[in-house]
Amino acid sequence: MALIARLTLSATFAGLLVCSQAFGARFNAKNVKPTGLTANQAEQILLVVLKQEGFKTSDSRLWLDGPWLTDGKPSIPGYHSFGVVYVASTQGHYSVNIITGDVWQTESCRRYIFPALSKIQRGIAERTGKQLANDEDARDELGCLAEPI
């Protein structure tokens, strides 16, 4: 019975990832509330980044852990944070700004910038009225002390 449950869960998650891949190309910013991204929307944006970075997001052994919460609130204020796990190995920690869609790999303090993501972020900015923070301010928000690796 446990094996069937695990297989069902894996198939369900794989289906969600496959559906998520198309999300980036069709991201509808009109669904973003003025208060910002839901955890699900942030997850979809993270999947766009992961695909850009060469992760095989359709692989059922790849999954997202999160969003991480502390006392019911985002672990980093203003960000939905996730771990990316392949089988049982953590591939990295990522955070998505709730108001702007800014995406960071939080261990290396790497900010992601590429055309498809910028297009999504412009749509989010139209809904929230907020633009991406400059690099220094965003680093401070995340607690990044060093330059990116």
Side-chain angles (χ1 to χ4, degrees), residues 13 28 50 53 63 65 69-71 97-98 117 137 142:
F13 186 73
N28 187 349
L50 294 176
E53 289 297 298
W63 55 281
D65 177 32
L69 303 174
T70 302
D71 297 326
N97 186 290
I98 293 169
L117 179 61
D137 289 344
L142 287 165

Side-chain angles (χ1 to χ4, degrees), residues 53-129:
E53 289 297 298
F55 283 88
K56 295 185 181 196
T57 57
S58 61
D59 188 332
S60 63
R61 298 170 294 176
L62 181 79
W63 55 281
L64 300 180
D65 177 32
W68 296 335
L69 303 174
T70 302
D71 297 326
K73 297 179 183 173
S75 58
I76 300 174
Y79 288 81
H80 289 300
S81 298
F82 304 87
V84 175
V85 181
Y86 181 74
V87 184
S89 176
T90 302
Q91 303 298 300
H93 301 154
Y94 298 81
S95 293
V96 180
N97 186 290
I98 293 169
I99 301 297
T100 65
D102 196 10
V103 182
W104 290 78
Q105 204 285 358
T106 53
E107 296 161 309
S108 65
C109 289
R110 178 178 177 211
R111 187 181 214 171
Y112 291 93
I113 301 170
F114 55 92
L117 179 61
S118 295
K119 182 178 179 181
I120 291 169
Q121 292 166 335
R122 282 191 299 275
I124 294 167
E126 289 176 12
R127 298 293 295 160
T128 64

